[in-house]
């Protein structure tokens, strides 16, 4: 069953409300920027590439009712919408990357009339969406070369079609290996506190008919010790210039465990996730989410009222724990500081 996570419908955004999965497949029709901002903040749309696309489409929503020919006012509104959307989630660089592309598209053609700028912005947003679809297939193709027939793969969070325009990054690798006839099995971390692994990764894997076993996050060490895992593949929200990687909280745990058990630990992400302006992971902004998501997740209180909580949404995996980074251009080996740049130049 193909999953269309997010798309532009001529005058509005249509997206799956991921907070309703796996119980219901419900779509949202979004026509204004405030509703979109709420959808991004509350993870109705989530996953680094998908929120980048949401941001690009958000610019269209935020500017389509702009009337008149005042170009300065149009560009001012574009900047306002972009600044507002970029503030919704700080860690995934794909959001600011996509919004920067939208901004540059308009500012680079500032001599054109408003009607032309609107058209150029629409083309750029659709290009970002289409490129992501193609990029994910390429990531899958390169990553699948690392997967042997019979492999069991550990996943963390959701990195499939729901997190991208289509197909996914880390999960795209699993899908490609499976489609090429290799037998692959997955152990999916449930991914506390919002259960993207249990609710979304398992849902996508089952839709593809791939053998998946759900584990609690704290079971990962034991399944590795039991020699059930051949490799771990995760996605990324931002990769610093030296390869340090921000991804869903708990990813660092998996990387440490993988090293302890001599299991390859791969990161799969598009180039748009690499932030060359950030030298190392310590400079990546980490979103901190509400206590409620931990103490009262999914409508049931599991800790005393007013419990003090610390809930970072992401952590940083140091580059030395990463076996390789899989991008649309190929499998990048350490040392990442040198090799990430080299690949970008070749691209
Ligand atoms: O908080 P989320 O659900 O947006 O976090 C998503 C992740 O951490 C993913 O692993 C990452 O964005 C890569 S998705 C291809």
């Amino acid at each position: 069953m193909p999953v269309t996570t997010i798309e532009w419908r001529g005058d509005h955004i249509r997206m799956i409300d991921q907070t309703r999965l796996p119980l219901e497949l419900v779509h949202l029709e979004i026509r204004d920027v405030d509703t979109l901002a709420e959808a991004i903040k509350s993870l109705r749309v989530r996953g680094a590439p998908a929120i980048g696309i949401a941001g690009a489409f958000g610019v269209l929503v935020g500017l389509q009712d702009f009337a008149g020919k005042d170009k300065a006012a149009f560009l001012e509104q574009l900047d306002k919408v972009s600044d507002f959307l970029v503030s919704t989630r700080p860690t995934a660089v794909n959001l600011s990357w996509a919004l920067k592309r939208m901004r540059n598209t308009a500012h680079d053609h500032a001599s054109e009339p408003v009607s032309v700028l609107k058209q150029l912005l629409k083309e750029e947003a659709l290009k970002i969406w289409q490129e992501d679809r193609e990029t994910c297939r390429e990531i899958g193709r390169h990553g699948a070369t690392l997967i042997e027939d019979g492999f069991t793969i550990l996943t963390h969070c959701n990195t499939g079609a729901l997190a991208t325009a289509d197909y996914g990054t880390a999960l795209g690798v699993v899908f490609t290996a499976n489609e090429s006839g290799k037998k692959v099995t997955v152990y999916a971390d449930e991914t506390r506190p919002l259960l993207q692994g249990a609710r979304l990764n398992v849902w996508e894997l089952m839709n593809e008919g791939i053998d998946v076993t759900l584990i609690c996050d704290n079971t990962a060490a034991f399944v590795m010790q039991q020699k059930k895992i051949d490799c771990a593949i995760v996605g990324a929200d931002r990769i610093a210039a030296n390869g340090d990687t921000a991804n869903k909280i708990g990813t660092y745990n998996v990387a440490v465990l993988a090293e302890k058990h001599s299991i390859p630990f791969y990161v799969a992400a598009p180039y748009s996730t690499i932030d060359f302006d950030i030298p190392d992971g310590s400079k990546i902004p980490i979103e901190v989410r509400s206590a409620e998501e931990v103490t009262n997740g999914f409508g049931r209180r599991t800790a005393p009222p007013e419990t003090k909580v610390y809930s970072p949404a992401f952590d940083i995996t140091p580059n030395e724990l990463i076996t390789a980074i899989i991008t649309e251009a190929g499998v990048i080996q350490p040392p990442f500081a040198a090799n990430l740049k080299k690949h970008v130049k070749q691209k």
Side-chain angles (χ1 to χ4, degrees):
M1 181 177 64
V3 174
T4 303
T5 303
I6 180 164
E7 61 185 326
W8 180 247
R9 282 291 183 103
D11 62 350
H12 70 278
I13 305 166
R14 186 168 201 262
M15 62 165 76
I16 293 176
D17 183 347
Q18 300 189 32
T19 62
R20 308 279 287 272
L21 285 170
L23 299 181
E24 300 172 298
L25 181 57
V26 175
H27 289 87
L28 300 169
E29 315 285 338
I30 295 186
R31 297 183 157 80
D32 68 89
V33 173
D34 287 336
T35 308
L36 176 64
E38 189 281 332
I40 296 173
K41 279 186 195 158
S42 57
L43 274 52
R44 298 183 198 285
V45 59
R46 36 119 338 256
I51 61 173
I53 294 159
F57 288 165
V59 167
L60 304 186
V61 160
L63 288 168
Q64 66 183 352
D65 291 335
F66 183 92
K69 296 180 178 167
D70 183 345
K71 215 175 335 167
F74 181 82
L75 292 174
E76 204 178 301
Q77 188 163 327
L78 166 64
D79 291 344
K80 217 171 109 194
V81 168
S82 302
D83 288 343
F84 175 54
L85 288 174
V86 88
S87 70
T88 51
R89 293 200 77 191
T91 303
V93 73
N94 309 61
L95 182 57
S96 52
W97 168 86
L99 288 167
K100 196 167 154 196
R101 266 180 73 164
M102 296 297 281
R103 247 182 181 146
N104 288 347
T105 298
H107 287 280
D108 289 352
H109 297 86
S111 57
E112 301 289 350
V114 168
S115 57
V116 173
L117 293 184
K118 277 189 174 180
Q119 183 56 30
L120 289 172
L121 285 171
K122 189 173 152 193
E123 284 166 16
E124 189 66 12
L126 290 173
K127 203 164 143 198
I128 289 170
W129 179 80
Q130 181 57 29
E131 278 175 13
D132 190 59
R133 292 163 64 86
E134 290 160 16
T135 295
C136 286
R137 297 279 165 176
E138 285 303 295
I139 291 172
R141 195 169 65 79
H142 292 298
T145 61
L146 302 165
I147 309 299
E148 288 172 28
D149 189 25
F151 258 26
T152 300
I153 300 159
L154 185 83
T155 64
H156 193 74
C157 197
N158 167 259
T159 56
L162 290 166
T164 59
D166 185 35
Y167 207 60
T169 55
L171 222 50
V173 172
V174 176
F175 293 153
T176 309
N178 177 58
E179 283 159 21
S180 72
K182 292 174 189 166
K183 170 140 181 53
V184 285
T185 306
V186 173
Y187 275 71
D189 278 355
E190 64 176 350
T191 317
R192 280 273 296 153
L194 295 177
L195 306 184
Q196 290 94 328
R199 294 187 302 107
L200 309 175
N201 243 26
V202 169
W203 185 76
E204 287 201 49
L205 286 158
M206 286 174 86
N207 283 345
E208 291 299 317
I210 294 173
D211 180 354
V212 53
T213 302
L214 177 64
I215 56 170
C216 299
D217 298 331
N218 43 13
T219 304
F222 194 46
V223 290
M224 288 188 190
Q225 193 184 50
Q226 289 177 315
K227 304 209 179 308
K228 289 185 191 289
I229 306 295
D230 295 297
C231 71
I233 316 180
V234 301
D237 286 83
R238 194 185 295 234
I239 300 173
N242 70 346
D244 291 353
T245 293
N247 191 50
K248 179 52 55 195
I249 191 74
T251 301
Y252 176 36
N253 303 36
V254 175
V256 170
L257 294 173
E259 188 189 48
K260 163 79 185 163
H261 295 92
S262 305
I263 292 167
F265 177 89
Y266 300 118
V267 171
Y271 266 125
S272 50
T273 305
I274 305 171
D275 186 349
F276 286 100
D277 293 336
I278 291 208
D280 63 66
S282 67
K283 309 288 184 310
I284 297 177
I286 298 293
E287 176 185 6
V288 176
R289 297 202 51 101
S290 78
E292 281 290 290
E293 289 179 348
V294 178
T295 59
N296 203 11
F298 305 98
R300 189 191 161 99
R301 179 156 285 282
T302 51
E306 300 187 16
T307 299
K308 238 184 355 173
V309 172
Y310 174 50
S311 182
F314 303 96
D315 58 24
I316 308 288
T317 299
N319 64 63
E320 64 269 19
L321 296 181
I322 300 170
T323 311
I325 298 177
I326 306 158
T327 76
E328 61 268 44
V331 177
I332 305 176
Q333 306 285 347
F336 297 117
N339 290 349
L340 286 174
K341 273 217 181 86
K342 224 184 276 169
H343 268 73
V344 170
K345 277 193 199 128
Q346 281 165 10
K347 209 184 157 235

